[in-house]
Amino acid sequence: MASVHAIPSLDEQYEFTADAKRRLIIGGVVGVALVAIGSFLLASGVGEHAHEAVQGHGLSEGHEGAHGHYTWMTRFWANVWVNSVYFTGIAVAGMFFLSYNYLAQAGWSSVIKRVPEAMPAFLPVTGVIMLATFFIAGHDLFHWTHAELYEKGGESYDAIIAGKRGFLNTPFFLGRLVFYFVSWYFLWRILRNYSLQEDLNGGTEYYYKSMKFGVVFLVVFAVTSSTAAWDLIMSIDTHWFSTMFGWYTLASWHVAGLATMTLVVVMLKEQGYLKAVNESHLHDLGKFVFAFSIFWTYVWFAQFMLIYYANLPEETIYYRQRFSGYGGIYLAPFFVNLFLNFVFPFLVLMTRDAKRTNLILKVACWGVLVGHYFDFYTNIMPGTVGEHGGFGPIEFGMILIFACAFIWSVSTQLTKANLIAKNHPLLEEALHHDI
């Protein structure tokens, strides 16, 4: 529904101030210091756990978790992997949001499109980090990379993993990993360039071109979002699989990306930017976060309920490791994940006024972002470090490093274009958006 509003100036240029850069640099340095302290403590044996493995279907947690010989560096690289997967999802969610809004010919979002448009610029950073991590620590993080598992008659031969060799082999894995990041980033560059050209030249030509390439991205992402989830997360627990895991990971990435967009929009408004954004735009963003938090919960519960009801040992071992395995060190993160990703946003964002209030939106979105970090933490850490997991300086420091780098990347992109896509064909609808 549209109504008449006073039209604010559409010329807004974001300034990435020296003070903001200084704070991010300090945050990054603090993160490095925390990682160094955490690494020293781990190398010294401080905070290590020793628990008996839970047996299930001939598979012990010591087999799937902390593959082979554990060293403190395994926890370091596992944290790098968790944060890379997490921020990759947030970054690509920006492109996902742009693309389905182009396909839907949505007008309301045109006034905030520069925010999701800035997020995928971080993809090359996480892509390079993940490639480097796989080359350096792939044997520690991914059990299927050990050659002895495929030697028939050998002591370590694993028939289940050997049966997956056609998909889980290093050359094919690396090829897929490169394809994910190259295709996502390349398609984002096309949409970004069309958006900038539209600002300069106006008309509808670039809008329709963007719509076409947005559809191409959605087709590519429909496949790669699932296969990326299998490769980056599910293959860590090589014996286990879930046919719902692709949807589950996409839902987690998407709602974390939506929470990030909402936070950035609210914070920009509080700094005096995005004057054309009104309460109705915030309401819609709040509805997105609310709705997809519930969608994530639906997929999570559907996966859990089917595994629980079937009660097949080769499937239930995944949840047993997180409930009672390793001395229960993953039980608290498991339930924090559920609380912050469903109960908290469901209660906080239920009312209309809540979705229109800056403070409530920020609290809800921060809760969702913390919650989905724990989502990926509980998906990845049991299978990589097993009983040696925990939450200490190295975890806090790694989050801080990645968060500061991501904010720097987004802030830099925001400076490169007008904050309002002033020649967007549907901008008039956004300026009078009222619900």
Side-chain angles (χ1 to χ4, degrees):
M1 176 180 169
S3 67
V4 177
H5 293 283
I7 305 300
S9 172
L10 301 181
D11 292 312
E12 293 185 7
Q13 195 69 35
Y14 177 72
E15 182 185 1
F16 189 15
T17 64
D19 186 53
K21 292 178 181 177
R22 180 174 55 82
R23 287 198 299 268
L24 289 176
I25 291 171
I26 292 172
V29 170
V30 171
V32 171
L34 285 172
V35 169
I37 293 169
S39 299
F40 174 76
L41 293 175
L42 290 176
S44 304
V46 178
E48 285 295 331
H49 305 273
H51 305 290
E52 294 182 1
V54 173
Q55 298 294 327
H57 196 61
L59 174 67
S60 71
E61 290 180 340
H63 180 65
E64 285 282 14
H67 313 308
H69 178 65
Y70 171 85
T71 68
W72 69 268
M73 285 297 294
T74 306
R75 183 160 160 183
F76 172 88
W77 289 115
N79 273 283
V80 172
W81 197 261
V82 169
N83 283 277
S84 296
V85 171
Y86 178 63
F87 282 97
T88 291
I90 291 176
V92 77
M95 181 64 178
F96 185 45
F97 181 85
L98 281 176
S99 298
Y100 64 66
N101 273 277
Y102 273 121
L103 178 61
Q105 299 185 46
W108 74 272
S109 60
S110 60
V111 77
I112 62 162
K113 74 184 289 281
R114 290 291 191 235
V115 173
E117 196 175 279
M119 290 161 56
F122 197 61
L123 286 172
V125 177
T126 53
V128 170
I129 291 173
M130 294 182 90
L131 279 172
T133 302
F134 185 80
F135 279 117
I136 296 169
H139 280 316
D140 297 320
L141 302 180
F142 296 92
H143 187 55
W144 58 264
T145 59
H146 294 259
E148 62 271 16
L149 298 171
Y150 307 97
E151 297 172 1
K152 283 189 176 181
E155 184 180 344
S156 300
Y157 177 71
D158 190 314
I160 295 176
I161 296 178
K164 301 182 179 184
R165 192 175 190 178
F167 187 81
L168 289 180
N169 61 80
T170 297
F172 193 22
F173 179 91
L174 289 173
R176 293 194 301 272
L177 188 60
V178 170
F179 177 76
Y180 300 149
F181 285 93
V182 170
S183 61
W184 296 344
Y185 184 76
F186 174 72
L187 289 168
W188 169 73
R189 286 301 318 173
I190 292 175
L191 258 65
R192 174 68 165 173
N193 289 335
Y194 284 157
S195 180
L196 298 179
Q197 289 297 316
E198 184 180 77
D199 261 15
L200 295 175
N201 303 314
T204 59
E205 176 187 359
Y206 297 108
Y207 174 76
Y208 287 112
K209 286 182 178 179
S210 297
M211 188 186 299
K212 291 177 183 177
F213 279 96
V215 171
V216 171
F217 173 81
L218 290 174
V219 172
V220 171
F221 197 58
V223 178
T224 56
S225 60
S226 286
T227 56
W230 305 341
D231 287 335
L232 305 181
I233 307 171
M234 195 168 74
S235 71
I236 289 171
D237 295 279
T238 318
H239 279 212
W240 183 83
F241 69 93
S242 166
T243 55
M244 300 187 70
F245 200 81
W247 282 103
Y248 167 68
T249 302
L250 173 60
S252 192
W253 275 350
H254 186 212
V255 74
L258 290 169
T260 301
M261 290 175 222
T262 305
L263 270 178
V264 174
V265 169
V266 170
M267 290 178 177
L268 285 173
K269 274 196 69 66
E270 290 180 343
Q271 294 174 28
Y273 298 106
L274 296 180
K275 296 181 180 64
V277 172
N278 59 43
E279 287 186 344
S280 293
H281 297 106
L282 297 180
H283 189 174
D284 278 339
L285 287 170
K287 286 192 293 186
F288 263 94
V289 175
F290 179 80
F292 283 98
S293 292
I294 295 174
F295 176 72
W296 173 87
T297 309
Y298 158 72
V299 180
W300 184 95
F301 180 75
Q303 176 178 273
F304 175 81
M305 183 269 294
L306 290 173
I307 291 173
Y308 174 82
Y309 185 76
N311 199 27
L312 299 175
E314 64 270 26
E315 295 180 349
T316 57
I317 184 64
Y318 185 83
Y319 288 104
R320 286 188 65 196
Q321 288 175 347
R322 286 149 181 83
F323 283 153
S324 57
Y326 313 121
I329 61 174
Y330 296 106
L331 187 61
F334 186 87
F335 284 105
V336 167
N337 169 31
L338 285 179
F339 176 78
L340 290 179
N341 291 330
F342 172 58
V343 178
F344 185 69
F346 181 78
L347 295 177
V348 171
L349 291 177
M350 185 180 293
T351 66
R352 173 184 172 88
D353 288 343
K355 301 181 189 74
R356 292 168 169 257
T357 306
N358 288 2
L359 178 60
I360 296 177
L361 281 174
K362 287 195 293 184
V363 169
C365 289
W366 276 118
V368 166
L369 287 174
V370 172
H372 282 284
Y373 169 83
F374 277 107
D375 189 19
F376 289 105
Y377 178 90
T378 54
N379 281 335
I380 293 172
M381 296 302 273
T384 53
V385 300
E387 65 188 17
H388 304 281
F391 213 85
I394 197 169
E395 282 74 25
F396 284 106
M398 200 67 73
I399 295 168
L400 198 52
I401 292 169
F402 273 83
C404 289
F406 178 77
I407 295 169
W408 188 291
S409 173
V410 171
S411 299
T412 301
Q413 287 298 315
L414 290 176
T415 65
K416 294 182 178 180
N418 197 63
L419 276 181
I420 305 291
K422 56 186 178 182
N423 285 328
H424 193 286
L426 303 181
L427 181 61
E428 193 67 22
E429 178 184 335
L431 295 177
H432 298 286
H433 185 52
D434 183 52
I435 55 174

